Amino acid sequence: KQLAKQPKSEALLFQRGSLQSMGHNMDYQDAWKGAEADLTLLLTLNPNHIEGVLELGNMYVNTGPEYSEKAMNLFLAAQCLSGSEPNEVAQRGLFFALYYQGKIPAAYKQLQILNKYWPGNETYQHLEKMTWERFSKEINAGEVTEPSKVVFSSCEKPAKAS
């Protein structure tokens, strides 16, 4: 009822979008469509709403590989909005988005980043070990090196061509 009275309330759109996203995870009918609609409207109203960016990215990455590229773009945007400090949710989402796209060397590099910034996280350590054991030939072919940046792309806009 509150959202009907305030259809552009960022707080209410985020709350309902998040709840519908959880409903999607529990297989409630039309929850995914509702979550996407609310979160997309929220980001139309405020593209810098970092929690909304992350929520939509997580919903996409957890939906299936066909949404992983959209999710990756949202996680990159969330990291850009976070500034120079690594955003753990965005960084973790990037791993899964890359992995689901079959970009195994890049996903492995992302795990190295996660373990560098959150060294005590056993889940990240396990994922790195598991990914290495399963895909070491692909990873070696991709020439994985020590990560030097928090994300793979720059938040800067490309220079205009002269």
Side-chain angles (χ1 to χ4, degrees):
K1 291 182 177 183
Q2 288 297 321
L3 197 52
K5 293 177 186 175
Q6 303 172 59
K8 293 187 177 183
S9 167
E10 291 178 18
L12 293 175
L13 285 167
F14 176 72
Q15 183 179 35
R16 189 171 74 178
S18 297
L19 290 170
Q20 290 186 100
S21 180
M22 285 187 263
H24 158 67
N25 291 335
M26 296 185 288
D27 294 327
Y28 284 107
Q29 186 174 355
D30 296 326
W32 193 95
K33 288 179 185 176
E36 184 181 44
D38 284 345
L39 295 169
T40 300
L41 177 56
L42 168 64
L43 297 179
T44 300
L45 296 170
N46 180 1
N48 297 322
H49 193 288
I50 192 164
E51 293 88 0
V53 173
L54 290 168
E55 186 70 32
L56 187 57
N58 278 322
M59 188 180 84
Y60 282 158
V61 84
N62 290 315
T63 295
E66 65 273 19
Y67 289 92
S68 59
E69 189 170 344
K70 283 183 174 183
M72 183 178 74
N73 290 331
L74 288 164
F75 292 130
L76 289 169
Q79 182 57 62
C80 289
L81 291 170
S82 298
S84 61
E85 288 299 311
N87 180 307
E88 186 173 6
V89 177
Q91 295 300 315
R92 181 178 55 240
L94 282 171
F95 161 71
F96 286 107
L98 291 163
Y99 188 88
Y100 293 151
Q101 290 178 66
K103 297 177 179 179
I104 303 304
Y108 185 75
K109 184 174 181 180
Q110 188 62 30
L111 282 170
Q112 290 179 314
I113 291 169
L114 287 166
N115 279 311
K116 177 180 178 180
Y117 285 95
W118 297 280
N121 189 308
E122 291 179 16
T123 300
Y124 300 154
Q125 293 167 3
H126 174 73
L127 285 170
E128 184 174 350
K129 181 181 176 190
M130 179 192 73
T131 303
W132 177 259
E133 288 172 355
R134 178 127 195 242
F135 297 105
S136 61
K137 290 180 184 175
E138 287 180 54
I139 293 167
N140 282 333
E143 299 182 26
V144 174
T145 58
E146 183 65 26
S148 60
K149 290 188 174 185
V150 177
V151 293
F152 290 96
S153 70
S154 170
C155 297
E156 297 172 14
K157 294 181 179 176
K160 292 183 179 179
S162 306

